[in-house]
Amino acid sequence: MAGFSRASLVLVLLCLVSSSEGREILVGGKTDAWEIPNPSQSDSLNQWSENSRFRIGDTLVWKYNSTQDSVLQVSKKDYVTCNTSSPIEEYKDGNTKVNLNHSGPYYFISGAQGHCQKGQKLIVVVLSSNHNRHFGMAPAPSPVEFDGPAVAPTSGSAGFGGGLAVVFGVLAGWVLM
């Protein structure tokens, strides 16, 4: 550790802590993603979601024309059937922000008549806080549903997070001396 000053170590620790804060994520990765998809890409929003990693504290952002559309957060059953009559939450402002405050699946459909049936819907799966402890390790792919049994880890990566916490604790103690 001869080459590191205490200020450098503090800066590294602050960067690691700040990287765990939530992010604002534009749904679909672009401003015009919340619309009826092309028939050949009817599941494009869910493909985007499956390739993304969402954590507790992240915020989803929708941009859309509020005079023609809305975003409904719904139950799994209402998602599957495109039922717009009893949403958990309804957003109509054209710049909707939804805080992802718990792990598990979130279900969203368009509130515009017939749009959900044409594929304007989205499932987002938020990783549990246990996934955030594995710095530098790629998390397992997000399942779309949580109806099956839990699968045991296949690698020894579970010990990595605990070892890393010990290293950070020792470094923090050294910096504060």
Side-chain angles (χ1 to χ4, degrees):
M1 287 204 198
F4 287 103
S5 69
R6 287 183 184 200
S8 296
L9 287 173
V10 168
L11 183 60
V12 168
L13 288 172
L14 287 174
C15 287
L16 287 171
V17 169
S18 68
S19 69
S20 66
E21 293 178 11
R23 309 162 289 161
E24 282 197 352
I25 302 167
L26 187 60
V27 169
K30 54 187 180 177
T31 56
D32 62 348
W34 192 243
E35 59 184 22
I36 298 172
N38 294 329
S40 63
Q41 299 175 331
S42 65
D43 207 30
S44 61
L45 281 177
N46 282 331
Q47 289 171 353
W48 166 82
S49 176
E50 288 173 7
N51 291 320
S52 302
R53 296 293 176 252
F54 304 99
R55 299 181 310 232
I56 296 171
D58 286 348
T59 301
L60 293 178
V61 179
W62 281 263
K63 303 279 187 180
Y64 56 93
N65 183 336
S66 62
T67 63
Q68 298 177 359
D69 210 341
S70 62
V71 176
L72 305 180
Q73 183 177 351
V74 296
S75 68
K76 178 181 175 182
K77 179 181 176 187
D78 288 346
Y79 174 88
V80 171
T81 61
C82 289
N83 179 8
T84 60
S85 66
S86 56
I88 296 168
E89 292 288 339
E90 183 175 14
Y91 307 95
K92 299 178 179 184
D93 62 359
N95 185 30
T96 296
K97 295 184 179 186
V98 175
N99 186 350
L100 304 174
N101 56 16
H102 62 82
S103 63
Y106 287 74
Y107 301 93
F108 301 97
I109 62 175
S110 170
Q113 184 70 29
H115 285 208
C116 177
Q117 290 84 348
K118 294 178 182 175
Q120 190 177 348
K121 54 203 271 185
L122 171 66
I123 300 173
V124 170
V125 179
V126 178
L127 298 173
S128 72
S129 58
N130 292 336
H131 283 88
N132 294 334
R133 291 191 291 190
H134 302 292
F135 296 105
M137 304 296 283
S142 303
V144 174
E145 303 294 331
F146 285 121
D147 291 340
V151 178
T154 58
S155 71
S157 66
F160 181 75
L164 196 55
V166 170
V167 169
F168 286 136
V170 170
L171 284 174
W174 181 78
V175 168
L176 296 174
M177 290 177 125

